[in-house]
Amino acid sequence: MGTTVQQTQLLVHPLVIVGWTGLVINALNLIPIGQLSGGRLVQSVYGRKIAGRVGTFSLLILAI
């Protein structure tokens, strides 16, 4: 029963890797920059001027 805990590698089903990759890609798509979905959402709610500022701020945060 305790042998699984002592293993150095954990075997993961391929669908777990595919699901995790899909979640990461969707999270990146929701970043409020430019023509990504998050950017379009911010622009529709707050307007073009605020969307530009939020996009610039997001790029700065990503650069850090």
Side-chain angles (χ1 to χ4, degrees), residues 31-45:
I31 295 174
I33 298 173
Q35 296 299 315
L36 297 175
S37 295
R40 291 176 189 259
L41 184 114
V42 170
Q43 185 175 349
S44 67
V45 172

Side-chain angles (χ1 to χ4, degrees), residues 32-33 38 42 46 49-60:
I33 298 173
V42 170
Y46 297 111
K49 188 175 182 182
I50 300 295
R53 291 179 185 168
V54 170
T56 303
F57 178 73
S58 297
L59 283 173
L60 288 173

Side-chain angles (χ1 to χ4, degrees), residues 6 16 29 31-32 34 50:
Q6 295 174 353
V16 172
N29 192 30
I31 295 174
I50 300 295

